[in-house]
Amino acid sequence: MKIQNPFRVGLIGTLGVGVGILILTSVVNLATIITYVGAALFIALGIEPLISFLERHKFPRWAALVVTLVVILGAFAGLIWAIVPVAVDQLTQLVNSIVSWVNAGKAQQWFTDLQHQFPGIINDQNITAATDWLQKNLPSITSTVLQTGIGIVTGVFGAIIVIILTIYFTASLPSIKRAAYQLVPASRRARVSDLGDQITDSVGKYVGGQVSLALINGVLSAIFLTIIGAKFPILLASIAFFFSLIPLVGTITGSVIITAVCLLSGPPTAIAAGIYYLIYMQVEAYVLSPRIMNRAVSVPGALVVVAALAGGTLLGILGALIAIPFAAAILLIIKQVVIPRQNEL
């Protein structure tokens, strides 16, 4: 038996560990870019069913792509044009209402009432301690606010990058899929292609279903909040729409924020909003979501919760979005590949 040179074994092992560390470090450093690429690819897969629909109606690929992008970007621009001015105006009114509330002395009265109700918590000693803490931590708070502003600007540039990548991926998605399938052995290529097409179709349908749920929540919120006389109904409906794009926790988070803001219109309005959203969440969970989403992905409810939580923990909002179709893809592979193979043994 030939004895390996210890130096060579150690050198190869050290190089292997170094390459592994280099790869992990590169992934961490490129996390933002990977997130942009993942988001753009996810959106492109969501747009693909619309392009396929137009192609089935005798549209060339390029024409279907142009029409789809023009419609989507036009709808998005129209939504921004319709919502942003009203939302900014209502946000300004919200700030002015808070300032007027403070200037009118109502804030002092509210604080006095709290002192009477909770004398053990809100007292001069605790107020002094809170003031001292704010004075000591003011530089870090200012730095956090500045970082938040920089993050917003970075997010805007990130959104532009994602839009550009989405257009590229949407235009070249068939060629990307063909190139990926070429990496599979020829004997299995047809089967892998079929599975890949089913997975990408389910992702597209899932994106469409999530947007449909968000639109329903946004429209119904605007109507109901206007009926009950809540302040800033368009701004609150926009919050309902965008939060509903986040699976599992988005609707409840948006509902809590909207109900809290409705307190500015009075406790009865906030109670009415809270009752409405409690009812709506039940309707969405047991009526709307099963009817819409079951056509896209067939995933058990418990697995939906686990997948969304795991994806959100690992990759944030993007992880929560892609976790459910990813779980559906794994189930599809298990049902169509693993189980039949086990049955043959």
Side-chain angles (χ1 to χ4, degrees), residues 47-59:
I47 296 174
E48 183 63 23
L50 297 177
I51 298 177
S52 299
F53 173 80
L54 292 177
E55 285 184 312
R56 290 194 297 269
H57 288 76
K58 311 302 181 182
F59 275 74

Side-chain angles (χ1 to χ4, degrees), residues 93 100 175 204 257 295 311 321 335 343:
Q93 293 180 31
S100 300
S175 60
I257 295 174
R295 299 179 182 179
L321 288 173
K335 290 179 180 178
N343 292 335

Side-chain angles (χ1 to χ4, degrees), residues 199-262:
I199 292 172
T200 54
D201 289 344
S202 67
V203 172
K205 293 177 181 178
Y206 170 77
V207 173
Q210 198 67 38
V211 172
S212 299
L213 290 174
L215 282 173
I216 292 172
N217 191 9
V219 172
L220 293 180
S221 294
I223 295 172
F224 180 78
L225 293 172
T226 303
I227 291 174
I228 65 175
K231 295 182 179 180
F232 327 115
I234 302 301
L235 175 63
L236 298 181
S238 303
I239 292 174
F241 170 77
F242 287 110
F243 271 91
S244 292
L245 293 174
I246 305 173
L248 195 62
V249 297
T251 301
I252 187 172
T253 304
S255 301
V256 170
I257 295 174
I258 293 170
T259 303
V261 175
C262 284

Side-chain angles (χ1 to χ4, degrees), residues 73-131:
L73 294 178
F76 184 75
L79 183 66
I80 296 297
W81 179 80
I83 289 178
V84 168
V86 179
V88 170
D89 179 64
Q90 293 186 355
L91 183 60
T92 304
Q93 293 180 31
L94 173 62
V95 175
N96 291 335
S97 298
I98 295 174
V99 173
S100 300
W101 180 66
V102 173
N103 292 336
K106 294 181 180 179
Q108 181 64 34
Q109 182 61 40
W110 174 75
F111 181 74
T112 303
D113 293 339
L114 283 179
Q115 282 185 313
H116 289 306
Q117 292 178 6
F118 308 100
I121 300 175
I122 303 177
N123 50 48
D124 293 339
Q125 182 179 357
N126 290 339
I127 293 173
T128 302
T131 303

